[in-house]
Amino acid sequence: MKELRLDKYLTEMGEGTRSQIKEMARKGRILVDGIPEKRAERKIDPEQQQVSVDGRPVSYVRYEYYMLNKPQGVVSATEDSRYETVISLIEERKRDDLFPVGRLDIDTEGLLLITNDGDLAHRLLSPKKHVDKVYFARVEGELPPDAKERMEEGLVLSDGTPTMPALLEVLKQGKNEVPSEIHLTIREGKFHQVKRMFETLGCCVIYLKRMSMGSLILDEALKPGEYRPLSEDEILSLKNHGK
């Protein structure tokens, strides 16, 4: 890893703004290898040198990757004035530049990748990469007999927006007041897409949960609101999948 300015190092680790870091250094609150460092612009080697602030070690992490089981009522954003965000749920995060890869509606649950790896996020979200996203849904209203075929051909939404072909698997056919249960696999992420696709079929999604994204499958042990770091194998598999 190349050398970094001390203020950039500490800013990326969420220790404050550049001006705040400069003031902390001036007051002797920052140590490099146990020695007070008053030059915030000094370059250091994150892999070889140790940095501490107020006696507390601050290790450098270039990338972080978390799997979150997003609960309802939380928004897929880095900040929001009205609602709790998915980033605020990641209490163990070290960096302050994490973001959700893609969006899940506020009332949608399930798999959400949280990272600061912009290149990986771009590859996973690009329709050209054909990264499958699998959703479980409960759907009110009778599914038309040709629902699978229409999904596979690609629908045109009510506002004229075309969708890419999707794969519909009916797990449980609804009847009367009992909703249908389905898996839907899509390769894009238009606004409210899954809900709007079923509206086109004359149905209404009453529950939606994302189960997987590419090679990443939601950990069944994670309850809504819980998260864990990705394993090295999961990270490698995602990177290979997005190439």
Side-chain angles (χ1 to χ4, degrees), residues 1-195:
M1 183 183 295
K2 64 181 181 180
E3 291 186 333
L4 285 177
R5 282 175 54 127
L6 181 58
D7 52 4
K8 179 176 174 62
Y9 178 116
L10 291 173
T11 298
E12 290 189 3
M13 292 301 99
E15 293 296 326
T17 63
R18 290 265 179 119
S19 59
Q20 289 171 333
I21 299 302
K22 185 176 182 178
E23 180 66 13
M24 291 161 63
R26 189 182 66 80
K27 293 182 177 180
R29 295 169 57 190
I30 301 173
L31 304 184
V32 176
D33 293 335
I35 301 172
E37 178 54 73
K38 296 193 175 184
R39 295 174 299 136
E41 70 278 7
R42 171 188 169 178
K43 289 190 175 182
I44 62 170
D45 184 337
E47 294 182 346
Q48 300 296 327
Q49 295 176 284
Q50 296 180 333
V51 178
S52 62
V53 175
D54 296 332
R56 172 175 47 83
V58 180
S59 57
Y60 186 81
V61 178
R62 186 179 183 188
Y63 293 119
E64 290 189 280
Y65 305 87
Y66 294 98
M67 175 192 297
L68 171 70
N69 185 353
K70 178 193 170 298
Q72 295 184 16
V74 178
V75 294
S76 300
T78 55
E79 54 184 74
D80 191 274
S81 59
R82 294 179 58 195
Y83 299 101
E84 186 176 18
T85 70
V86 292
I87 301 302
S88 68
L89 298 177
I90 313 297
E91 297 177 350
E92 297 174 17
R93 66 187 186 277
K94 295 181 174 65
R95 298 189 60 101
D96 65 352
D97 57 354
L98 299 184
F99 58 86
V101 178
R103 303 175 70 89
L104 293 180
D105 296 341
I106 191 169
D107 58 351
T108 299
E109 298 180 0
L111 176 68
L112 196 58
L113 173 62
I114 309 291
T115 185
N116 63 315
D117 188 338
D119 289 341
L120 176 62
H122 177 73
R123 293 200 301 271
L124 292 175
L125 295 175
S126 172
K128 296 178 181 179
K129 298 297 183 181
H130 303 300
V131 177
D132 290 343
K133 305 172 189 68
V134 180
Y135 291 83
F136 168 81
R138 294 191 182 96
V139 182
E140 283 186 338
E142 187 172 346
L143 289 168
D146 61 349
K148 290 184 180 181
E149 290 77 9
R150 290 171 66 183
M151 288 285 194
E152 288 175 1
E153 291 172 359
L155 297 173
V156 177
L157 305 180
S158 59
D159 64 353
T161 301
T163 66
M164 294 176 65
L167 181 63
L168 174 65
E169 179 186 2
V170 180
L171 306 174
K172 176 182 175 183
Q173 182 68 55
K175 188 177 294 186
N176 299 326
E177 299 297 316
V178 179
S180 297
E181 295 185 354
I182 64 90
H183 275 157
L184 183 69
T185 303
I186 62 176
R187 289 179 171 176
E188 53 190 340
K190 291 183 170 67
F191 183 67
H192 294 323
Q193 180 170 339
V194 175
K195 296 173 183 176

